[in-house]
Amino acid sequence: MVHRSKITTLTEFIIQRQSEYPHAKGALTRLLNDIATAAKIVNREINAAGLVDILGTVGKENIQGETQKKLDVFANEMFITALKGGGECCAIASEENEKVISFSNEFSELGKYVVAMDPLDGSSNIESNVSIGTIFSIYRRVTEAGGGTQQDLLQPGVNLAAAGYVIYGSSTMLVYTTGKGVNGFTLDPSVGIFCLSHPDMKFPSSAHIYSINEGNYIYFPEGVKRYIKYCQESDADTLRPYTSRYIGSLVADFHRNLIKGGIFLYPGTTKNPNGKLRLLYECNPIAYIAEQAGGKASNGFKRIMNIEPETLHQRAPFFTGPRHMVEKLESFLQENPE
Ligand code: AHM
Ligand code: MG
């Protein structure tokens, strides 16, 4: 007879976790559930992307000057709708919207949380069937009443209440943390339920991957150039030369590195000194997960989660992975200041 171990669903898991906080009223649980529900609907559209008229662009640019894909717009609307209807979130900052979306209806303005998100990260990969993701940051609001404001969203990563990502890959997973470790849930598509598949995720000690868009090499700071050469040198004790892996989709690159062990690098360049990735909804949530998985996230000189944000869409150089790899990279940058 085959014995199946108990299946723990995402909903069961977050309710169990909530019971560890005697004063919790379930608001964060409901908010995470709202995100998971929207993610399932986005997942359905992504899976059908080749079948229905959803590939391609809508002929507009977002605030970053990037062409919006139809799926970007769909995912953005879906998460906004789910969070607005859920009542726990009083404002959203999204990669796709220039300004904060404040929910000032009498239902949502009581929400204690705000969410910063990249609804569809890595969207340049959509047409080629490469993994894409959703990234989210959840903060407690700091204003007292009414719809949430920019002030609620311009908080450093150290104030995060929760963060996570959804990866739409060969399977769909939701990975999140509330500051008590990192747990991963795989969507069972036959029943539409996220089930705990990766409890207490940690970077493995045998890390040997580096992930960077080396096509930009000539624009990188000297410290990064030297670190890349270090990764390529032979040294059995440190598992070098490392393997190079780069998808061009932050969630997918980070997720692989979390499971297999590797460092992700998106440095500043001579053209873009702050790099490409956005602090509030790309760097901070991934940094929180990295730290909770025993790793580190830095802009090369400072912990990402300590950076005080000044604008919603600000960017930061981003290096994340196992602690020892990020610290090695930092030493190269600090020895080679520009
Ligand atoms: P996006 O949010 O517009 O999709 O851009 C972010 C993506 C990340 O997923 C990825 O790490 C990076 O851009 C790749 O950039 P590049 O193509 O410059 O290597
Ligand atoms: Mg995006």
Side-chain angles (χ1 to χ4, degrees):
M1 199 167 102
V2 178
H3 291 279
R4 294 194 68 176
S5 54
K6 181 178 172 344
I7 294 169
T8 303
T9 69
L10 173 64
T11 311
E12 283 173 340
F13 184 86
I14 45 190
I15 289 172
Q16 274 168 22
R17 283 290 162 107
Q18 184 198 318
S19 64
E20 293 170 19
Y21 299 88
H23 302 296
K25 296 195 176 69
L28 188 57
T29 304
R30 288 189 291 275
L31 183 55
L32 286 165
N33 262 325
D34 294 338
I35 290 173
T37 302
K40 284 187 231 177
I41 296 169
V42 171
N43 178 63
R44 184 191 66 200
E45 292 306 304
I46 290 170
N47 285 339
L51 298 173
V52 297
D53 182 27
I54 198 146
L55 284 179
T57 68
V58 291
K60 286 195 291 188
E61 288 186 348
N62 66 11
I63 179 61
Q64 331 281 344
E66 297 152 345
T67 306
Q68 284 183 308
K69 310 271 179 185
K70 285 180 188 170
L71 264 175
D72 279 319
V73 174
F74 178 85
N76 195 38
E77 287 173 358
M78 196 46 62
F79 282 102
I80 293 170
T81 304
L83 291 168
K84 188 175 182 184
E88 310 300 345
C89 170
C90 62
I92 296 179
S94 165
E95 180 181 330
E96 303 301 333
N97 299 91
E98 179 181 1
K99 296 199 168 119
V100 168
I101 303 164
S102 176
F103 300 146
S104 49
N105 59 72
E106 59 184 61
F107 179 53
S108 302
E109 70 178 16
L110 298 175
K112 298 273 185 292
Y113 293 95
V114 294
V115 174
M117 64 173 182
D118 181 352
L120 210 60
D121 174 66
S123 51
S124 64
N125 288 309
I126 293 170
E127 277 105 29
S128 41
N129 223 339
V130 169
S131 299
I132 48 184
T134 295
I135 318 177
F136 58 91
S137 285
I138 302 176
Y139 292 95
R140 283 176 201 88
R141 70 181 302 172
V142 291
T143 54
E144 297 283 318
T149 69
Q150 178 158 303
Q151 196 192 338
D152 295 306
L153 281 143
L154 291 183
Q155 298 192 55
V158 285
N159 290 359
L160 277 166
Y165 60 79
V166 182
I167 177 167
Y168 310 99
S170 45
S171 64
T172 296
M173 282 188 68
L174 189 151
V175 175
Y176 85 98
T177 183
T178 55
K180 288 192 165 190
V182 179
N183 291 282
F185 301 80
T186 302
L187 181 67
D188 181 337
S190 63
V191 285
I193 295 174
F194 282 107
C195 301
L196 180 63
S197 53
H198 295 62
D200 198 18
M201 297 173 84
K202 296 278 180 224
F203 283 104
S205 52
S206 60
H208 66 283
I209 294 172
Y210 72 104
S211 309
I212 186 167
N213 185 343
E214 276 187 77
N216 293 328
Y217 185 86
I218 56 166
Y219 305 120
F220 289 156
E222 185 59 27
V224 172
K225 287 180 177 167
R226 292 193 187 196
Y227 180 72
I228 291 172
K229 290 297 162 212
Y230 165 86
C231 294
Q232 296 168 347
E233 285 163 11
S234 173
D235 177 51
D237 288 347
T238 52
L239 306 178
R240 288 179 292 148
Y242 295 154
T243 295
S244 168
R245 290 282 182 274
Y246 190 74
I247 295 169
S249 188
L250 172 63
V251 171
D253 278 308
F254 176 79
H255 185 72
R256 182 209 49 245
N257 289 355
L258 174 57
I259 290 190
K260 295 199 163 177
I263 182 170
F264 175 89
L265 307 94
Y266 208 109
T269 61
T270 44
K271 290 201 292 192
N272 300 305
N274 288 321
K276 177 179 184 188
L277 300 178
R278 276 59 57 119
L279 178 63
L280 283 191
Y281 43 81
E282 291 177 324
C283 305
N284 266 335
I286 297 290
Y288 195 22
I289 291 172
E291 290 192 6
Q292 286 292 315
K296 191 168 177 178
S298 151
N299 69 359
F301 300 91
K302 185 173 180 177
R303 182 183 176 202
I304 283 289
M305 291 176 70
N306 281 341
I307 298 174
E308 289 286 342
E310 288 169 8
T311 60
L312 287 183
H313 300 287
Q314 84 185 58
R315 299 170 196 259
F318 191 48
F319 307 100
T320 188
R323 174 167 287 277
H324 70 278
M325 289 180 119
V326 175
E327 285 175 354
K328 190 73 190 174
L329 173 273
E330 285 174 328
S331 73
F332 275 89
L333 277 170
Q334 285 155 20
E335 283 161 19
N336 299 277
E338 297 281 294

